[in-house]
Amino acid sequence: MLIKLVRQGLGSIIVFIDWLTRPKMIQRSAEQQARADAKAKSLKLYQLYACPFCVKTRRTIRRLNITIETLDVSEGSPYRTQLEQGGGKFQVPCLLIEKPGETTWMYESAEIIDYLNKEFSEDALRAG
Ligand SMILES: N[C@@H](CCC(=O)N[C@@H](CS)C(=O)NCC(=O)O)C(=O)O
């Protein structure tokens, strides 16, 4: 109970600091932004609002100026079950990457951030 309260308190502080220090969004040409928006549609982020690793991942998403659907996996949420069954374990953040004929459940914030930075770089977007 106490641990849960401390966790929630720390989580709220992290979210507040994140809000105060929001990263600047990169700007693209309209054409490149349309490519980025289309590409981001194949992604979903399973997450918890106040989880520090999720905050870190959402900061990258904001900086990259993309919209990725976020699915909250709080207790009782159907997305929690989806994550456990699809990805094989309960851990957030987890990025679901859906490509024709291929589904990937990517865990580990560092790996997700690295993937997003590469996929949404100007060069990758130009290459299509
Ligand atoms: N090394 C992982 C750590 C992620 C992590 O510890 N996430 C916590 C939430 S902040 C979690 O999902 N814990 C599993 C649980 O609570 O059962 C990362 O960087 O993504």
Side-chain angles (χ1 to χ4, degrees):
M1 178 69 179
L2 181 66
I3 290 177
K4 206 172 174 185
L5 277 178
V6 171
R7 258 195 186 174
Q8 279 173 357
L10 283 176
S12 306
I13 292 169
I14 288 167
V15 167
F16 181 61
I17 293 172
D18 169 47
W19 179 78
L20 282 180
T21 62
R22 277 176 300 177
K24 209 173 155 215
M25 294 192 284
I26 62 168
Q27 299 301 319
R28 307 183 172 90
S29 66
E31 190 187 342
Q32 283 284 80
Q33 188 60 45
R35 286 182 182 157
D37 291 341
K39 206 170 191 181
K41 285 207 170 92
S42 62
L43 306 174
K44 289 189 180 95
L45 185 73
Y46 288 76
Q47 59 123 34
L48 288 169
Y49 185 63
C51 151
F53 303 98
C54 302
V55 170
K56 190 172 86 163
T57 306
R58 292 201 306 267
R59 286 178 73 83
T60 296
I61 292 172
R62 179 182 164 83
R63 189 180 52 74
L64 289 172
N65 195 2
I66 50 177
T67 304
I68 295 179
E69 187 181 354
T70 54
L71 305 171
D72 189 278
V73 298
S74 301
E75 265 175 53
S77 158
Y79 301 125
R80 196 179 179 106
T81 317
Q82 251 178 40
L83 171 64
E84 282 168 337
Q85 289 179 352
K89 63 176 172 179
F90 175 73
Q91 183 183 296
V92 286
C94 178
L95 185 71
L96 174 61
I97 308 164
E98 291 176 299
K99 291 189 177 160
E102 193 188 333
T103 298
T104 306
W105 297 81
M106 184 180 284
Y107 289 94
E108 293 301 325
S109 53
E111 200 183 328
I112 296 171
I113 288 169
D114 194 41
Y115 173 82
L116 293 174
N117 280 330
K118 284 185 183 141
E119 283 292 301
F120 293 93
S121 69
E122 290 301 297
D123 285 349
L125 289 172
R126 210 168 291 120

